[in-house]
Amino acid sequence: MKRINSFTITPPSIFPAHEQTLRPGGMGPVNRRPLFDNDNGEGTLISRPPESTDTAMGSSDRIRTFIRGFDEKLGGGVPRNHVVLLAGETGTMKSTIGWHVLYFGAEKDHRPGVYMSLEQSRESFVAHLRGMGLDPRHVEDRVSIVDLGMIRKNLEGMAESTWLEIFKMYALNLKRALDYDVLVIDSLPVLEVMARFEHPREDLFQLFEWLRDLKATIFLITEMKSRSEDFG
């Protein structure tokens, strides 16, 4: 069986709200300092990247997240052309983190990207982003927001095409037209429901293989129950 190049990001646990310096021997933290300038206490409120502009971080084989300390831990960022699960409980601002990667990737590294929403309307999402200081207008020349929920409503009655085929058609056509480096899909649970997978494990494996063939770094947003062990 082929191995899927993927790993999981699970906010807020992987994005602690404060950086700790431990005493020798693991006796507890000496000090704590905020990772983000507008820290909300949960480590998921993001409005600006670290001040560092280290060019070595923007290596061609890595996609920077612009989350302070995280890219360094990954050796410069997320490996290119991997499928990444952005998993977390409800309300941990997974969508904001996905957009954060696109926004600053476009602004700092000039990377083209696409945010594909399967449920939340474009208007609602844009209003949220503006409130976070991540206005899509600032990067509209490189990043596109695609409202597949609205497209789905307009295509109701197309019995000859399955929803998964429509999703793939848009993802592939956008790749050909925009040649995006990063694709954020919000969200995997909605995609699973709409696709009506008959054999979920095999169908998901085939979907991941298809996504990898896009030759882009894919962030799949997904839900994680409280204290879940689904992602290790």
Side-chain angles (χ1 to χ4, degrees):
M1 179 178 291
K2 295 181 180 178
R3 181 179 179 181
I4 299 176
N5 291 331
S6 63
F7 58 92
T8 305
I9 296 175
T10 55
S13 59
I14 206 165
F15 303 123
H18 294 79
E19 196 169 46
Q20 299 184 4
T21 302
L22 298 179
R23 292 190 180 96
M27 298 298 292
V30 174
N31 56 63
R32 296 164 63 87
R33 65 184 183 87
L35 289 181
F36 307 116
D37 295 335
N38 59 340
D39 180 23
N40 69 345
E42 297 181 359
T44 53
L45 184 58
I46 305 170
S47 67
R48 65 186 67 182
E51 295 179 0
S52 172
T53 56
D54 185 359
T55 56
M57 292 293 292
S59 59
S60 60
D61 64 337
R62 298 278 165 168
I63 300 294
R64 290 198 282 177
T65 66
F66 297 92
I67 296 172
R68 185 174 297 161
F70 188 54
D71 290 325
E72 290 85 348
K73 294 292 185 181
L74 293 179
V78 174
R80 285 176 60 90
N81 299 341
H82 277 51
V83 176
V84 181
L85 294 180
L86 182 55
E89 298 175 28
T90 301
T92 51
M93 301 181 75
K94 302 176 293 295
S95 300
T96 307
I97 292 174
W99 177 257
H100 177 91
V101 175
L102 288 170
Y103 184 95
F104 288 109
E107 186 179 74
K108 302 294 184 180
D109 290 340
H110 310 293
R111 293 190 185 279
V114 169
Y115 190 100
M116 191 175 289
S117 175
L118 277 64
E119 187 172 36
Q120 185 176 10
S121 71
R122 188 182 192 282
E123 291 75 13
S124 172
F125 188 52
V126 167
H128 166 74
L129 295 174
R130 288 174 178 166
M132 295 292 297
L134 300 168
D135 194 333
R137 290 178 297 185
H138 298 161
V139 292
E140 62 184 2
D141 59 329
R142 293 187 181 276
V143 183
S144 299
I145 298 176
V146 180
D147 185 349
L148 275 190
M150 179 60 69
I151 293 171
R152 174 162 52 90
K153 291 179 181 178
N154 293 334
L155 294 180
E156 286 182 355
M158 291 183 62
E160 68 275 12
S161 298
T162 68
W163 170 242
L164 186 59
E165 288 173 344
I166 293 171
F167 163 79
K168 288 182 175 181
M169 177 187 70
Y170 272 91
L172 189 57
N173 287 343
L174 286 166
K175 178 62 177 178
R176 291 169 176 168
L178 306 176
D179 194 24
Y180 52 76
D181 286 337
V182 181
L183 171 64
V184 177
I185 301 171
D186 187 3
S187 65
L188 179 59
V190 175
L191 180 59
E192 288 185 81
V193 170
M194 296 306 303
R196 300 178 181 177
F197 289 146
E198 295 181 1
H199 307 286
R201 291 179 66 88
E202 178 62 23
D203 291 338
L204 275 176
F205 174 80
Q206 295 298 332
L207 174 62
F208 275 47
E209 289 291 285
W210 185 87
L211 289 171
R212 290 180 61 226
D213 287 341
L214 290 174
K215 304 302 180 184
T217 303
I218 314 293
F219 287 85
L220 275 167
I221 295 174
T222 189
E223 294 292 323
M224 184 177 70
K225 297 179 181 178
S226 179
R227 302 182 182 277
S228 173
E229 297 182 356
D230 291 348
F231 301 100

